[in-house]
Amino acid sequence: MTAQLISAEQQVESLKSQKVKKVLLVEDNDANRMLLRDCLSFSGYKVKSLSDGSNFFSIVETFQPDLIVLDLKLPDVDGFFLLEEMQQNFGREKIPVIVVSGLAFKSDCERAISLGARRYFVKPVILTELTQAIEKELSCHRK
């Protein structure tokens, strides 16, 4: 029992010393945004969420996310446009982007990937698959 307790304490200290990863979530649907934000927060990420793309680039500059979860259909701007601008302003490899979209056509997925998205999920998304993909991207992409 003591060995397990020490091990658990060591694990807690190890987790405390690790940098908390930041995720920027861009989703216009309130219910989807709250669900994804809660899921990511529960998974240990610091989450900043946006309901549109109006302040996207200023938030990226100030929040400095380690990863972005992006919906493509936003009320004020096209998510493809945001991907294009990110590619031009930050470079493809700077911030990994995972798209979560209702657009289910293969051409939409291919376009997003060609614009720098690392993964593409069609809604409704399976949360465990999304969190696994996020963890994989963050472990591969050291900031």
Side-chain angles (χ1 to χ4, degrees):
M1 182 70 162
T2 305
Q4 291 176 343
L5 181 59
I6 292 170
S7 176
E9 287 175 358
Q10 289 172 340
Q11 289 175 357
V12 168
E13 288 303 315
S14 175
L15 289 173
K16 285 181 182 178
S17 67
Q18 293 177 3
K19 179 185 170 217
V20 174
K21 298 292 185 174
K22 296 185 283 187
V23 175
L24 176 60
L25 170 63
V26 186
E27 167 64 60
D28 63 322
N29 180 283
D30 292 338
N32 289 344
R33 188 175 57 257
M34 287 188 296
L35 176 67
L36 289 171
R37 183 186 61 223
D38 290 349
C39 175
L40 295 173
S41 294
F42 181 77
S43 296
Y45 301 109
K46 181 176 181 179
V47 181
K48 173 80 173 170
S49 60
L50 301 174
S51 60
D52 59 42
S54 61
N55 297 325
F56 179 79
F57 290 103
S58 63
I59 297 297
V60 168
E61 286 292 324
T62 58
F63 184 62
Q64 298 184 340
D66 297 295
L67 183 133
I68 297 170
V69 176
L70 177 67
D71 185 9
L72 295 176
K73 298 284 285 181
L74 299 170
D76 59 341
V77 67
D78 184 1
F80 291 115
F81 172 78
L82 294 177
L83 284 170
E84 289 171 358
E85 290 295 308
M86 282 188 61
Q87 191 175 39
Q88 291 175 6
N89 295 326
F90 300 111
R92 280 185 90 118
E93 303 302 319
K94 184 67 176 171
I95 304 170
V97 177
I98 294 179
V99 170
V100 176
S101 177
L103 301 176
F105 291 109
K106 184 177 179 182
S107 60
D108 294 318
C109 175
E110 290 171 347
R111 182 177 176 201
I113 298 296
S114 74
L115 291 171
R118 302 282 180 90
R119 297 285 305 268
Y120 192 99
F121 289 90
V122 177
K123 294 176 187 174
V125 65
I126 298 170
L127 293 175
T128 54
E129 290 179 8
L130 176 62
T131 55
Q132 287 172 354
I134 289 170
E135 185 60 38
K136 182 177 178 184
E137 286 301 325
L138 289 173
S139 67
C140 293
H141 182 266
R142 301 283 182 211
K143 201 170 182 185

